Amino acid sequence: MFTAPPGYQPIYGPSVPYTGPIYGGLRAGMSLYIQGAIPHHITRFEVDLQCGEFEGCDIAFHFNPRFDGWDKVVFNTFQNGEWEEQEKIHQMPFSKGEAFEMVIAVTSEGYQVNVNGSEFYMYPHRMPLDRVSALHIAGDVTVQSINIIGGGYPGGGYPGGNLPIMGLQPIYNPPMPYSGMVPGGMSPKRTIIIKGMLPYGANRLAINFMVACSRDVAFHLNVRLQEGIVVRNSQIGGDWGQEERELSFNPFQEGQYFDISIRCGNQRFKVFVNGQHMCNFFHRVQPFTQIDLLEIEGDAQLSYIHF
């Protein structure tokens, strides 16, 4: 079972309806990241930021897509036992039968909702942020993962309450191919999260952990969709090493979102995909702390990288 580093605990495959705490409360600078899928038979679903985990509690932010022939998304606030005035958007960012990614970015002005990488709507605050203590999801929706970034108690590691490692914020919608330094380099127990989608017709996705000064590839993870394999290797001094191909399962498919967690240990990398352990890769570059560059290439659409 994947144990995330302190302060970072994604929630995988929760049942719906789902209600869970936001440890430490909500504040500006935090983000809620939800991956899921919409069934073909959908009528509506809702995502609520609540002031408690009980029925009838105040709701600071109510997000309610409705497929009713006049497709729309309703925003509202519920307090003192009553719904307030609705804000309706007659535009539907979700498609029946398709997967989605939704980000709720909390700002000092309100809740910025982005769906599938595009800005959708800003809902201004009607209640104090510090009253929000729970997330509720219900209706016709399947949830793959929930990440709450920027909250939690320092070093707490509570499920759902996530403190950014080294105070870093996620990178949303990074370009492909991606190349970026790993701030501070790799260290024991450090986890890097990569989320995105493999569109239909995609052929490959390659993730490289590198030593910038030598361009050595310490860990090469190569998803070959058409062959149905995931190859692991290293390239040191210009020479490729021994390939590793054995897997207990291959989670990568065309048309599907992926959630990759790569954790660095003292002896090896551990790779988890969609919450399940996929493989290990023992370090071939020592000391591994000199690994300081991440490069990603291929046919994927990236939505999120967290260091």
Side-chain angles (χ1 to χ4, degrees), residues 85-156:
E85 186 175 348
Q86 294 181 344
E87 297 183 25
K88 295 181 182 179
I89 309 302
H90 291 276
Q91 177 186 352
M92 181 54 69
F94 304 96
S95 298
K96 292 182 179 181
E98 295 195 4
F100 70 87
E101 296 178 309
M102 173 180 170
V103 177
I104 304 171
V106 184
T107 73
S108 56
E109 293 80 31
Y111 302 97
Q112 173 64 53
V113 179
N114 300 338
V115 180
N116 295 334
S118 298
E119 291 189 358
F120 180 66
Y121 191 70
M122 164 67 85
Y123 182 74
H125 292 303
R126 300 185 186 179
M127 295 174 58
L129 262 179
D130 57 12
R131 290 195 58 204
V132 178
S133 61
L135 170 67
H136 175 74
I137 304 173
D140 303 324
V141 65
T142 300
V143 177
Q144 176 185 334
S145 68
I146 301 170
N147 291 15
I148 302 174
I149 310 300
Y153 299 107

Side-chain angles (χ1 to χ4, degrees), residues 101 174 176 195-199 257-258 298-304:
E101 296 178 309
M176 278 287 279
K195 293 174 179 279
M197 182 184 184
L198 294 165
Y257 285 100
F258 59 81
D299 305 315
Q301 298 170 1
L302 297 182
S303 59
Y304 172 102

Side-chain angles (χ1 to χ4, degrees), residues 36-267:
I38 304 295
H40 287 283
H41 64 266
I42 184 173
T43 55
R44 62 176 61 187
F45 74 96
E46 64 188 59
V47 177
D48 297 326
L49 295 175
Q50 304 186 160
C51 305
E53 298 181 52
F54 56 92
E55 191 169 342
C57 67
D58 286 353
I59 301 171
F61 171 81
H62 174 70
F63 175 85
N64 183 208
R66 300 178 183 179
F67 292 77
D68 54 8
W70 300 87
D71 291 357
K72 58 184 171 290
V73 178
V74 173
F75 293 82
N76 209 339
T77 293
F78 180 86
Q79 58 180 326
N80 302 319
E82 295 183 347
W83 286 105
E84 299 185 350
E85 186 175 348
Q86 294 181 344
E87 297 183 25
K88 295 181 182 179
I89 309 302
H90 291 276
Q91 177 186 352
M92 181 54 69
F94 304 96
S95 298
K96 292 182 179 181
E98 295 195 4
F100 70 87
E101 296 178 309
M102 173 180 170
V103 177
I104 304 171
V106 184
T107 73
S108 56
E109 293 80 31
Y111 302 97
Q112 173 64 53
V113 179
N114 300 338
V115 180
N116 295 334
S118 298
E119 291 189 358
F120 180 66
Y121 191 70
M122 164 67 85
Y123 182 74
H125 292 303
R126 300 185 186 179
M127 295 174 58
L129 262 179
D130 57 12
R131 290 195 58 204
V132 178
S133 61
L135 170 67
H136 175 74
I137 304 173
D140 303 324
V141 65
T142 300
V143 177
Q144 176 185 334
S145 68
I146 301 170
N147 291 15
I148 302 174
I149 310 300
Y153 299 107
Y158 297 101
N162 304 330
L163 190 73
I165 301 167
M166 298 178 65
L168 299 171
Q169 288 297 314
I171 302 169
Y172 292 111
N173 304 316
M176 278 287 279
Y178 171 83
S179 179
M181 301 301 291
V182 177
M186 296 304 294
S187 57
K189 297 185 179 179
R190 185 166 200 176
T191 299
I192 293 179
I193 312 291
I194 302 166
K195 293 174 179 279
M197 182 184 184
L198 294 165
Y200 289 103
N203 183 46
R204 63 187 290 271
L205 166 66
I207 299 172
N208 295 313
F209 287 87
M210 306 176 66
V211 180
C213 62
S214 65
R215 298 294 298 174
D216 283 347
V217 180
F219 177 32
H220 171 70
L221 181 72
N222 189 344
V223 179
R224 301 179 186 175
L225 288 157
Q226 305 307 316
E227 298 176 57
I229 59 175
V230 181
V231 175
R232 290 87 69 197
N233 207 340
S234 61
Q235 186 186 51
I236 302 171
D239 296 324
W240 286 104
Q242 181 69 39
E243 285 189 350
E244 299 177 16
R245 297 189 175 203
E246 291 299 316
L247 283 181
S248 56
F249 76 108
N250 183 349
F252 297 101
Q253 298 181 43
E254 297 176 54
Q256 297 291 318
Y257 285 100
F258 59 81
D259 181 338
I260 305 172
S261 300
I262 301 176
R263 188 176 188 184
C264 182
N266 285 311
Q267 281 81 40

